[in-house]
């Protein structure tokens, strides 16, 4: 056997192709930078003389354009090569974060300046997210898609935990502006990596009737699938109440009942570890009924609100947060696998945009009214109400037959779906898959 004929050992799994590897590496880099920058932005506001209300305004300035431009971003990402949208969005984020860093390092940044630059960053994310999700889903195929999505999400969560820890350490040692500068550099590197993505395998888009026509077509794809719109409607409530419980009530309970910020930090860290473990679980487990398994795993998201309402001691709260972190990853990977399996490639970004929009649209409102609701009914009843809403919405979505019955396709059914001709094995197994 000649040296040329000796097979080279694989350095990565067969399902982790070039595009997937580039996307994962770029996501890790931006995750490390962004999660430190979120902490740095808050401290930059406070060190410039702002208060908690000003921190909220800067956070809202990031969220508002994300909600406003998501649908447009999804339509554009299905009209032009997705990697170009991603690179352009990264460039905008790089410039805005670099300017933010310069203002903070120069001293005395104005609130309106910080809000404007943060809004530019949120705008970039609105265009980036649908393009990135569509690009990720088009980069994997076959029965290993769920494993690929699990590894991608595990990498993102690891980067988020590491980025928050690194950002906190850097802020303790130096000016927050340097953390923002690192985030700008991370966007530059990630954008360069995404510029090397290969889109030759993606069919050329047919000429459309314009942006509104594309949005209408995406809406028809979205609303025509009961499992899709029902779960997005469910998560519009779930994300809103969980967000209010964890971003508003959680720190208050920690301050008043648990001894300060450190216990809440432990609980959030436990959630992060749970997401990593959940993603690791989903690299091996492939539930047959994707959305049934995923939706059942949404019920534990009610537990943190209930634990805060009691409140449980730190150990109990951390255990609850860990469990909710594991189970939300079961849902997340199952959801991405269902989208990858059921949505036509040329409409992935538009459908993803409607998914993102529906899921986050109520979050700014819920966090804004959390304080007044607490003043009206009390913190405990408000938290029990959050837990009840998660439970009721999740129970309601299980009444949708498509949510209970949508089944993971095997390699055989993928071939049958492509050919349009049922095989005898497919016919015999149809009742078993859908029943």
């Amino acid at each position: 056997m000649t040296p040329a004929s000796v097979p080279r050992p694989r350095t990565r799994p067969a399902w982790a192709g070039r595009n997937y590897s580039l996307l994962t590496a770029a996501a890790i880099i931006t995750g490390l930078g962004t999660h430190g920058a979120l902490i740095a932005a808050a401290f930059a506001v406070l060190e410039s003389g702002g208060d908690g209300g000003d921190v909220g305004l800067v956070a809202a300035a990031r969220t508002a354009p994300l909600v406003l431009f998501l649908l447009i971003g999804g339509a554009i990402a299905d009209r032009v090569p997705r990697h170009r949208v991603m690179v352009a969005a990264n460039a905008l984020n790089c410039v805005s974060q670099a300017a933010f860093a310069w203002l903070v390092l120069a001293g005395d940044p104005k609130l309106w300046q910080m809000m404007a630059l943060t809004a530019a960053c949120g705008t970039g994310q609105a265009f980036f997210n649908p393009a990135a999700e569509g690009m990720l889903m088009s980069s994997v195929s076959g029965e290993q898609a769920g494993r690929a999505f699990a590894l991608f999400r595990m990498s993102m969560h690891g980067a988020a935990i590491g980025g928050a820890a690194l950002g906190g350490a850097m802020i303790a040692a130096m000016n927050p502006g340097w953390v923002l500068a690192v985030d700008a550099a991370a966007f530059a590197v990630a954008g360069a990596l995404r510029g090397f993505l290969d889109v030759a395998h993606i069919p050329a888009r047919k000429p459309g009737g314009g942006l509104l026509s594309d949005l209408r077509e995406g809406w028809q794809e979205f609303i025509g699938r009961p499992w899709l719109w029902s779960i997005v409607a469910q998560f519009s409530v779930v994300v809103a109440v969980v967000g209010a419980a964890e971003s508003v009530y959680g720190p208050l309970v920690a301050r008043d009942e648990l001894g300060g910020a450190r216990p809440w930090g432990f609980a959030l860290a436990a959630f992060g570890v749970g997401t990593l473990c959940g993603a690791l679980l989903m690299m091996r487990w492939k539930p047959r009924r994707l959305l049934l398994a995923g939706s059942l795993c949404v019920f534990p998201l009610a537990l943190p609100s209930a634990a805060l309402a009691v409140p449980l001691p730190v150990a109990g709260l951390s255990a609850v947060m860990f469990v909710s972190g594991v189970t939300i990853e079961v849902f997340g990977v199952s959801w991405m696998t269902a989208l990858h399996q059921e949505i036509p490639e040329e409409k992935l970004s538009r459908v993803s945009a409607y998914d993102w929009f529906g899921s986050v649209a109520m979050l700014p409102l819920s966090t804004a009214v959390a304080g007044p609701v607490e003043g009206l009914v009390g913190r405990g009843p408000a938290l029990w109400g959050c837990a009840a809403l998660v439970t009721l919405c999740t129970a309601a979505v299980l009444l949708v037959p498509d949510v209970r019955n949508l089944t993971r396709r095997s390699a055989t059914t993928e071939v049958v779906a492509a050919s349009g001709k049922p095989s005898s094995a497919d016919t015999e197994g149809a009742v078993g898959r859908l029943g």
Side-chain angles (χ1 to χ4, degrees), residues 231-258:
I231 288 182
V232 171
Q234 169 204 10
F235 266 78
S236 69
V237 177
V238 170
V239 170
V241 299
V242 170
E246 294 190 358
S247 66
V248 179
Y249 298 139
L252 294 175
V253 171
R255 182 194 65 186
D256 297 339
E257 306 285 347
L258 301 178

Side-chain angles (χ1 to χ4, degrees), residues 60 63 239-245 247-249 362-372:
T63 306
V239 170
V241 299
V242 170
S247 66
V248 179
Y249 298 139
M362 291 179 59
L363 183 58
L365 176 63
S366 70
T367 52
V369 303

Side-chain angles (χ1 to χ4, degrees), residues 103-132:
L103 284 174
V104 174
L105 290 172
D108 196 27
K110 303 295 188 291
L111 178 62
W112 70 266
Q113 294 172 324
M114 293 186 284
M115 289 179 64
L117 292 169
T118 302
C121 199
T123 301
Q125 288 302 114
F127 285 87
F128 175 84
N129 289 345

Side-chain angles (χ1 to χ4, degrees), residues 267-294:
L268 293 177
F271 177 83
V273 173
T275 61
L276 291 175
C277 293
L280 186 61
L281 168 66
M282 292 305 288
M283 289 189 68
R284 294 185 171 273
W285 183 39
K286 296 193 285 188
R288 188 171 65 90
R289 296 194 192 182
L290 287 166
L291 297 181
L292 177 61

Side-chain angles (χ1 to χ4, degrees), residues 51-62:
D51 56 17
D54 294 330
V55 172
L57 287 174
V58 172
R62 179 187 295 272

Side-chain angles (χ1 to χ4, degrees), residues 28-42:
I28 292 172
I29 291 169
T30 51
L32 286 169
T34 298
H35 286 83
L38 291 174
I39 302 172

Side-chain angles (χ1 to χ4, degrees), residues 205-387:
R205 308 298 195 265
K206 296 179 180 179
L211 191 63
L212 290 178
S213 176
D214 283 354
L215 287 171
R216 190 181 307 113
E217 189 176 349
W219 172 254
Q220 291 169 349
E221 187 74 32
F222 174 81
I223 203 67
R225 300 175 184 270
W227 62 268
L228 179 56
W229 62 256
S230 62
I231 288 182
V232 171
Q234 169 204 10
F235 266 78
S236 69
V237 177
V238 170
V239 170
V241 299
V242 170
E246 294 190 358
S247 66
V248 179
Y249 298 139
L252 294 175
V253 171
R255 182 194 65 186
D256 297 339
E257 306 285 347
L258 301 178
R262 185 181 295 272
W264 184 235
F266 287 147
L268 293 177
F271 177 83
V273 173
T275 61
L276 291 175
C277 293
L280 186 61
L281 168 66
M282 292 305 288
M283 289 189 68
R284 294 185 171 273
W285 183 39
K286 296 193 285 188
R288 188 171 65 90
R289 296 194 192 182
L290 287 166
L291 297 181
L292 177 61
S295 295
L296 289 173
C297 285
V298 179
F299 281 111
L301 290 185
L303 295 178
S305 295
L308 289 168
V310 174
L312 290 182
V314 178
L317 177 61
S318 297
V320 162
M321 293 288 281
F322 174 82
V323 170
S324 65
V326 172
T327 56
I328 194 57
E329 280 307 292
V330 175
F331 171 82
V333 174
S334 299
W335 179 247
M336 292 186 72
T337 306
L339 291 176
H340 173 265
Q341 173 179 293
E342 301 294 326
I343 305 301
E345 194 281 333
E346 69 274 11
K347 299 176 182 176
L348 276 172
S349 289
R350 277 168 287 174
V351 170
S352 173
Y354 280 108
D355 174 18
W356 274 91
F357 178 82
S359 298
V360 304
M362 291 179 59
L363 183 58
L365 176 63
S366 70
T367 52
V369 303
V373 168
E374 179 189 11
L376 184 65
V377 303
R379 188 184 303 162
L383 282 164
W384 284 118
C386 291

